[in-house]
Amino acid sequence: MAQSSSSRDILAKLISFPTVSSDSNLPLIEWVEACLEGCGIKSQRVPGPCGKKAHLYAQTGPRIDGGVILSGHTDVVPVEGQAWTTDPWRLSERDGKLFGRGACDMKGFDALALYAMARASKLDLKRPLQLAFSFDEEVGC
């Protein structure tokens, strides 16, 4: 993720990954890992039992107790049978509102969390800022 990436750019990229709960989230996780690495943030991938999904944890700031964790999930519900008038895997704007699968739950928050991590990585934090992205929230967590 380039330091000049906006939270909207990040959201557009996250929405482009069709991380339907029945499918893999690994392409999204790989992209997030690369973004974090580009900001000098190490992450830890924790594979799921099926091997096609993973959780991701990361931290910036001092390695001490305390801090804040930004926690979100990466899966979305299916789009089949829904009356989408735009491509659900492409961010679009209408009347000042952003649309795309997961824009409100949960990829919108995930984009803001990634943006915050990138910004925080350049600061002299007194407490850590942590990131936790999970999978399968939409099918039982």
Side-chain angles (χ1 to χ4, degrees):
M1 169 175 40
Q3 285 298 313
S4 61
S5 292
S6 70
S7 55
R8 183 186 175 128
D9 292 340
I10 298 167
L11 175 59
K13 186 63 178 177
L14 293 177
I15 286 174
S16 76
F17 294 102
T19 54
V20 174
S21 51
S22 60
D23 299 330
S24 176
N25 73 339
L26 293 181
L28 180 145
I29 292 296
E30 290 165 4
W31 184 81
V32 170
E33 286 172 323
C35 288
L36 292 170
E37 185 177 317
C39 296
I41 301 171
K42 294 185 187 290
S43 61
Q44 178 183 2
R45 184 191 297 205
V46 179
C50 69
K52 67 177 190 170
K53 297 180 183 182
H55 304 293
L56 187 74
Y57 305 109
Q59 177 174 309
T60 190
R63 298 273 176 194
I64 60 173
D65 290 342
V68 173
I69 188 166
L70 305 173
S71 178
H73 62 85
T74 59
D75 57 318
V76 296
V77 296
V79 297
E80 287 77 22
Q82 297 178 352
W84 281 85
T85 58
T86 59
D87 181 350
W89 310 116
R90 183 180 169 133
L91 185 65
S92 61
E93 182 175 353
R94 282 191 315 272
D95 300 323
K97 297 177 185 170
L98 299 175
F99 294 87
R101 174 51 90 213
C104 290
D105 179 23
M106 171 111 231
K107 292 180 178 180
F109 175 82
D110 292 348
L112 294 173
L114 283 169
Y115 184 78
M117 289 289 287
R119 298 277 310 258
S121 71
K122 304 302 178 207
L123 302 174
D124 182 25
L125 301 178
K126 303 301 180 213
R127 294 278 184 216
L129 182 61
Q130 299 165 331
L131 180 73
F133 282 173
S134 63
F135 63 86
D136 282 354
E137 189 275 345
E138 298 296 354
V139 291
C141 202

